[in-house]
């Protein structure tokens, strides 16, 4: 999956200079060596142990040097122009703190990936039988933006964390992903902190991954 992700990035000829940073979280399957062999241009950070999602992403941002950073999960494949389109959006929209693209499944169908910031009722409907019945279904549908078809661009409360672009200085000033939330909900937390700073978050269908 990681090699496929990097091959897609290599096929996407950037309009401005770009660097790719790979953080290997102590994998034992030869992934780091495979990346080094096929992609010598990549900045490769090798961790001896798995430092989990939040710390790994923060390491990658600190190793980067660009004005903008895009957190990119290793099971993604960017479509041509997607990274540039997101960067150009942030360049032209100083009021926006972050942007994410439209996410597609491998069969081309659209993932309903945007969510609202969860409330106290969400753990109940997500983790129990109450989520299958009214009013739990209403709570779930609202949080998952079922009132929005993901077919057009708009500001949202939480953009997909799988592909998430910010200005690097702002990311670092905010402390990046909270490493106390080492694996889950760190992207929700980052979006919430951006919103508390009155920063807008954009879901951008002109970019696809």
């Amino acid at each position: 999956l990681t090699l496929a992700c990097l091959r897609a990035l290599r096929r996407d000829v950037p309009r401005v200079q770009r660097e790719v940073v790979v953080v290997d979280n102590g994998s034992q399957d030869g992934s780091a060596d495979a990346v080094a062999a096929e992609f010598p241009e990549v900045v490769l950070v090798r961790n001896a142990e798995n430092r989990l999602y939040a710390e790994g992403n923060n390491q990658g941002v600190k190793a980067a040097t660009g004005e903008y950073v895009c957190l990119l999960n290793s099971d993604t494949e960017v479509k041509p122009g997607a990274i540039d389109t997101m960067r150009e959006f942030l360049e032209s929209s100083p009021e926006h703190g972050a942007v994410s693209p439209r996410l597609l499944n491998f069969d081309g169908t659209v993932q309903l990936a945007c969510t609202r910031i969860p409330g106290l009722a969400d753990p109940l409907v997500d983790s129990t039988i109450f989520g299958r019945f009214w009013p739990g279904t209403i709570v779930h549908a609202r949080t998952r933006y079922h009132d929005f078809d993901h077919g057009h661009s708009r500001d949202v409360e939480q953009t997909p964390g799988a592909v998430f672009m910010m200005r690097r200085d702002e990311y670092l000033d905010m402390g990046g992903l909270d490493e106390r939330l080492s694996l889950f909900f760190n992207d929700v937390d980052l979006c919430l902190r951006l919103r508390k700073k009155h920063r807008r978050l954009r879901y951008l269908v002109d970019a696809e991954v």
Side-chain angles (χ1 to χ4, degrees):
L1 289 172
T2 303
L3 295 178
C5 175
L6 293 171
R7 288 168 188 148
L9 282 169
R10 179 180 276 174
R11 291 192 297 269
D12 177 30
V13 179
R15 293 192 278 272
V16 299
Q17 185 177 357
R18 177 190 302 167
E19 64 181 350
V20 179
V21 179
V22 174
V23 178
D24 183 82
N25 257 336
S27 67
Q28 302 296 317
D29 61 355
S31 290
D33 289 340
V35 169
E38 187 172 343
F39 301 94
E41 73 277 12
V42 162
V43 177
L44 179 59
V45 179
R46 296 175 182 252
N47 288 331
E49 67 284 336
N50 186 353
R51 298 188 181 182
L52 301 179
Y53 187 84
E55 186 176 352
N57 275 286
N58 290 343
Q59 279 186 285
V61 172
K62 290 173 183 176
T65 60
E67 183 178 358
Y68 299 90
V69 291
C70 182
L71 309 185
L72 191 67
N73 283 7
S74 59
D75 60 351
T76 59
E77 295 183 21
V78 301
K79 288 201 167 188
I83 302 295
D84 281 318
T85 298
M86 289 189 291
R87 174 187 54 79
E88 290 164 0
F89 174 82
L90 287 180
E91 284 182 337
S92 64
S93 303
E95 70 277 11
H96 283 85
V99 60
S100 289
R102 174 158 52 182
L103 295 183
L104 305 176
N105 299 307
F106 279 104
D107 63 2
T109 56
V110 177
Q111 292 186 26
L112 304 183
C114 298
T115 64
R116 290 182 170 91
I117 299 298
L120 291 175
D122 286 284
L124 181 66
V125 302
D126 283 345
S127 305
T128 72
I129 195 172
F130 292 109
R132 301 179 188 175
F133 307 101
W134 186 92
T137 52
I138 301 298
V139 174
H140 182 80
R142 181 191 177 279
T143 303
R144 299 295 176 176
Y145 272 115
H146 288 183
D147 55 336
F148 165 47
D149 64 5
H150 286 62
H152 58 275
S153 301
R154 61 169 287 177
D155 287 355
V156 294
E157 293 186 19
Q158 182 194 343
T159 58
V163 190
F164 189 88
M165 182 177 287
M166 287 183 63
R167 295 167 184 85
R168 181 172 179 269
D169 286 347
E170 186 169 18
Y171 183 98
L172 293 174
D173 287 344
M174 293 180 63
L177 296 177
D178 189 335
E179 295 179 9
R180 295 172 298 176
L181 302 170
S182 57
L183 195 56
F184 299 116
F185 291 101
N186 40 59
D187 54 345
V188 184
D189 169 74
L190 182 58
C191 290
L192 181 60
R193 285 187 281 138
L194 281 166
R195 286 173 53 80
K196 287 182 175 180
K197 290 179 58 181
H198 305 290
R199 305 291 279 146
R200 296 163 65 181
L201 294 89
R202 191 71 166 177
Y203 169 72
L204 192 66
V205 300
D206 295 334
E208 291 186 333
V209 176

